[in-house]
Amino acid sequence: MTKTQTVSPPTKRPVRQLLAASVGNAVEWYDWYAYTFLATYIAAQVFPKGADNSLVPLLSTFAVFAVGFFMRPVGGLLMGAVADRHGRRAALTVTILLMGGSSLLVGLTPTYASVGVLAPVILVLARLLQGLSVGGEFAASTTFLVESAGPGRRGLFSSFQYVSTTVGQLVASGIAALLVDTLSDGQMNGWGWRVPFVLGAVLSLVGFWIRRGAQETRSAEQQAPRPGLFEALRRHPRESLLIGGITAGGTIAYYTWTSYLPTYAELNAGIEKSDALLAGTISLAFFALLQPLGGLLSDRFGRRPLLLFFGLGFALLAVPLLHVLRDSFAVLLLVQCAGMVLLTGFTSISAAVNAEIFPPRVRAAGIGFPYSLTVALFGGTAPYVGTLFKEMGHAGLFPWYVAVLCLVSSVVYLRLPETAHAPLRR
């Protein structure tokens, strides 16, 4: 084997490949979502309170949430290029170290009362770095997972992208709920909200150690000469636009149901914060269990039927599901679980669908940039848009916003060629 060549095909160690991708991905998303679940505490400490409007700090916090998302396309492009040029494992190693460092920075962010405007500046910097890491993580791990799959198992392997993402989110939600239930408000506002971020930095080192044993899936023949930074966009513009259309409805539904719904229920239905977090934790566990089933179904029956199940389901049911919310834990849990069933039609196979669109030479960068840009435009802004509608007195418009985007994506799904049973381009 020459110095320019890489290792043998990855399908010889599929379980180890899944572990390397999944554990690291779970740590990445734990760090990312800890911010979402503790947003109200961060708002009280890092942003000055508006004199006449208690939503001002929360809006500012969700604006920083969106800022992190807008670094994700940059991360998808840069880390995707690293994955295409130097290997998927190299990119995965960089992203998890970057996430650990930025998580620690969030945990050590001083309060506005102690350092003034420097506090939100530090928080913004940390979220920018987290966005860079997460954008790169999706590009590299999506490619890595699907390329590691054996024949007829790409959908199943794809599902572990969101199994691991959800496990990370579940742990973040569970720790947040535990802290809220066991600590006083004073303790949570003083130091409790910092604990998950410091823990996330430690877990990132564990993920780094596990990923060092992963087997490379990129072959040397795909990389001679190395692809340019914008080669995927320049040579595959149609595929890039297709990624955006596939993702738009999925990302708004995903971030509404898995991240923003607890806050939405607090603001619009008067549900207690602890009940909202608990319902979110239970529904996330249910969601994680559904993912492999969706992946297996797509391997047998195709990608398009599941995508249409998701898109048309949300187009028809997003408004009634969100309108039925009231001050009831049981109702919130049922609404969340119903949405999770529909959402599985997208999340369980999105990695496979994306990877099957691009050739291997530019697969990671080709997926990373358009996907992350679409998520930034529609997913990252979901909490801000929903809260803004509430402040403007039009909270009822947000469910329609979700439904329309899912309908648009459904049109794309109808025209999408079926790739489930075709061989993956190598």
Side-chain angles (χ1 to χ4, degrees), residues 68-313:
F69 270 87
F70 277 97
M71 280 299 290
R72 288 178 62 169
V74 179
L77 183 63
L78 294 179
M79 292 298 102
V82 170
D84 288 332
R85 293 180 181 185
H86 304 289
R88 320 310 188 198
R89 187 176 62 178
L92 291 173
T93 299
V94 173
T95 57
I96 199 164
L97 290 177
L98 187 60
M99 179 59 82
S102 55
S103 180
L104 182 62
L105 188 58
V106 174
L108 299 179
T109 298
T111 64
Y112 186 89
S114 62
V115 298
V117 72
L118 184 61
V121 169
I122 293 173
L123 183 64
V124 168
L125 175 61
R127 288 299 287 181
L128 289 175
L129 292 174
Q130 284 190 324
L132 188 70
S133 174
V134 167
E137 171 71 18
F138 185 87
S141 64
T142 292
T143 306
F144 179 85
L145 274 172
V146 178
E147 289 177 349
S148 297
R153 286 292 180 266
R154 294 199 301 268
L156 176 62
F157 271 54
S158 168
S159 71
F160 280 87
Q161 177 73 32
Y162 277 92
V163 169
S164 55
T165 296
T166 306
V167 167
Q169 190 174 359
L170 183 61
V171 174
S173 174
I175 289 177
L178 179 64
L179 289 171
V180 169
D181 285 341
T182 58
L183 299 180
S184 66
D185 285 342
Q187 290 172 320
M188 277 300 301
N189 283 294
W191 56 269
W193 66 269
R194 300 180 184 274
V195 172
F197 299 104
V198 176
L199 177 60
V202 175
L203 292 175
S204 295
L205 295 177
V206 177
F208 167 73
W209 177 76
I210 292 174
R211 281 187 167 176
R212 290 185 64 189
Q215 188 176 0
E216 183 55 63
T217 64
R218 184 198 65 162
S219 68
E221 291 76 12
Q222 297 165 2
Q223 310 304 322
R226 289 176 177 176
L229 184 62
F230 296 100
E231 182 174 327
L233 289 172
R234 188 176 67 252
R235 295 193 177 184
H236 304 279
R238 180 183 177 277
E239 289 84 352
S240 298
L241 289 174
L242 192 58
I243 293 286
I246 291 169
T247 306
T251 190
I252 184 66
Y254 177 77
Y255 282 100
T256 297
W257 248 257
T258 66
S259 299
Y260 179 56
L261 199 56
T263 301
Y264 182 88
E266 289 177 47
L267 294 176
N268 296 282
I271 292 177
E272 291 293 326
K273 185 180 302 181
S274 58
D275 286 344
L277 286 172
L278 179 59
T281 302
I282 295 172
S283 64
L284 281 172
F286 175 64
F287 181 63
L289 294 174
L290 291 175
Q291 300 311 296
L293 176 61
L296 286 170
L297 288 173
S298 79
D299 283 331
R300 181 167 184 179
F301 300 108
R303 319 291 189 222
R304 190 162 49 189
L306 268 74
L307 290 172
L308 288 172
F309 170 75
F310 152 73
L312 295 177

Side-chain angles (χ1 to χ4, degrees), residues 299-389:
D299 283 331
R300 181 167 184 179
F301 300 108
R303 319 291 189 222
R304 190 162 49 189
L306 268 74
L307 290 172
L308 288 172
F309 170 75
F310 152 73
L312 295 177
F314 262 107
L316 293 172
L317 297 176
V319 174
L321 283 174
L322 290 179
H323 279 176
V324 80
L325 283 175
R326 59 179 185 273
D327 187 9
S328 167
F329 173 82
V331 171
L332 173 59
L333 183 59
L334 286 173
V335 167
Q336 287 200 289
C337 288
M340 297 305 191
V341 172
L342 295 174
L343 192 56
T344 296
F346 170 80
T347 54
S348 64
I349 59 172
S350 64
V353 172
N354 290 339
E356 289 162 353
I357 289 175
F358 279 96
R361 175 178 169 80
V362 292
R363 183 169 286 146
I367 294 170
F369 181 75
Y371 174 87
S372 296
L373 180 61
T374 307
V375 171
L377 290 172
F378 301 109
T381 58
Y384 187 82
V385 170
T387 307
L388 186 61
F389 276 145

